[in-house]
Amino acid sequence: VTSPARFTPLEVHISLVGRKNLTREIYRQLLEAIRAGRLRPGDRLPPTRELAKRLGVSRTTVATVYDRLAGESVLTPRVGAGTFVSEGAAKAAAPAEVAGHALRPRPAWSGVPGRTVGNLYRTAVEFDFRTGVPDVTSFPFAIWRSLIGREIRAGAEGVGVYGDPAGHRGLREAIARHVGTSRGVHALAGDITVTNGTQQALDIIARILIGPGDVVAVEDPGYPPAWRLFEALGAKVAAVPVDGQGLCVDALSPDTRLVYVSPSHQFPLGVSMSLARRKALLEWADTHEAAIVEDDYDSEFRFGDRPIEPLQTLDTAGRVIYVGSFSKTMMPSLRLGFVVAPPSLGDAMSAAKYLADWQSPLATQAALSHFIDGGWFARHIRKMRRIYQARHGKIADVLTADFAGRLDLVPSTVGLHVSAVAPGASPDQLHAVAGRASTIGVAVHQLANYSVGARRHAGLIFGYGAIPTESIEEGLHRLRGCFDDRIGG
Ligand SMILES: Cc1ncc(COP(=O)(O)O)c(C=O)c1O
């Protein structure tokens, strides 16, 4: 498509209210806009007549300014076409002064990564074991494009108006069916709020349930975007250890108001919470009048044994809020997730979503509802499950055969990553291993990066969303060479 940007004159903002020397003011403000990059080389300025009329000055005043800036090589007049910002104009105009250091964020925001998170997955890696990304090479993009295309035309449902903060009705119904059949979650469409991913789900849940200073318990090691969010909202985050059965319920402090857990596939260790532990947690929450947030981010990809029921399904007291995401089953860039809340929270969930951003993009929600209803979602999951299972099995086989005494696999049968602990090594030694690996094209995350409290865990996490099955053996072979003989047995 040809963009009209270079032919349409820009609506330059110039304010002459309370100004005396009008020529100087117009000159100064145009130059400032070019210095600051608001006007870019090639941009077309308004015709002198038009700008003069808008500012209520004579045409000569504007023409004088344009002539002066052209004389300084900042603007270039082109006969019959208009006046344009010159190539290299920013250089001709002196650098802008740097201002804006007066305001500071509240202390809770220090240490929360911001700009750097955008770089995390930017570099391509030869053997990529990083966690957090699905494989989208097999995604049915052509179907997705046509479903999205149907929603972005005049006359499509909801175009041009604000909608229900809880989400697109058809999508909420499709989600209720999906979690009901695939996970046994008890949900009606009315219990569901569509969110911009798990992240927004946690944000609105915390806003309606947690006040400053309230204790929120999280698994340690755990998911940084979750516990950092609770902390940024003013909660006191308590790091609770995880053992082979999941979160250690005995270690919860009695004043805890909310417990955030990933029972199906603990992030990052990969443990599945035992049935006994699930029951103990539910009982604990009921006794202490606390809420449980169940993050079920990747359990659609289950390879083996029969799954244990979600906390939400076992809950009879209305204390569990179930959170799901389309980041693994579809793709993270979609930013769609959902909450299944007990009826007592339904209105507040909608209200919090409304105050956060009114609604998630409706065209995407509608397209996703058709993608699910049409069977493409289930088909994609089935296909990816086979692929991920093969990768999971390959990693488990190679780790068991070649890393004995160095890495112990944490058994798991679900998701997009497996973890391995290194009982004979220190986190620093593992850091050195990962560092050496990165120089020979192998990227792998360390467990120590997911510590919440003071204890650092020695181990590695192997994501298999990004790595093709046929590259796994060579990648792990290279990694094996990065282990010093003094590490482990
Ligand atoms: C524990 C956990 N929860 C949730 C998510 C998904 O988050 P979102 O839905 O915000 O993309 C991830 C993704 O890596 C995760 O690891």
Side-chain angles (χ1 to χ4, degrees), residues 131-133 196-200 202 223 260 262 265 267 295 297 324-328 332 335-337 417:
T131 50
V133 285
N196 293 335
T198 305
Q199 199 57 28
Q200 189 184 42
L202 300 179
Y223 184 51
Y260 164 77
S262 45
H265 189 222
F267 189 87
D295 181 350
Y297 60 103
S325 174
F326 291 100
S327 291
K328 312 287 175 191
R335 304 314 301 136
L336 279 179
H417 75 272

Side-chain angles (χ1 to χ4, degrees), residues 222 258 339 364 423:
L258 184 148
V339 177
T364 330

Side-chain angles (χ1 to χ4, degrees), residues 13 21 81 200 223 229 249-250 258 290 308 322 382 390 414 427:
H13 172 83
N21 187 332
Q200 189 184 42
Y223 184 51
L229 168 70
V249 174
D250 291 346
L258 184 148
I308 303 174
Y322 178 93
R382 232 183 355 259
V414 63

Side-chain angles (χ1 to χ4, degrees), residues 135-147 329-331 371 375-381 383-384:
D135 187 345
V136 292
T137 53
S138 305
F139 187 78
F141 281 107
I143 288 159
W144 182 242
R145 240 189 338 269
S146 80
L147 292 176
T329 48
M330 298 282 288
M331 56 194 103
F371 192 77
W376 291 292
F377 183 63
R379 183 196 287 177
H380 181 58
I381 290 177
K383 178 174 187 182
M384 295 317 297

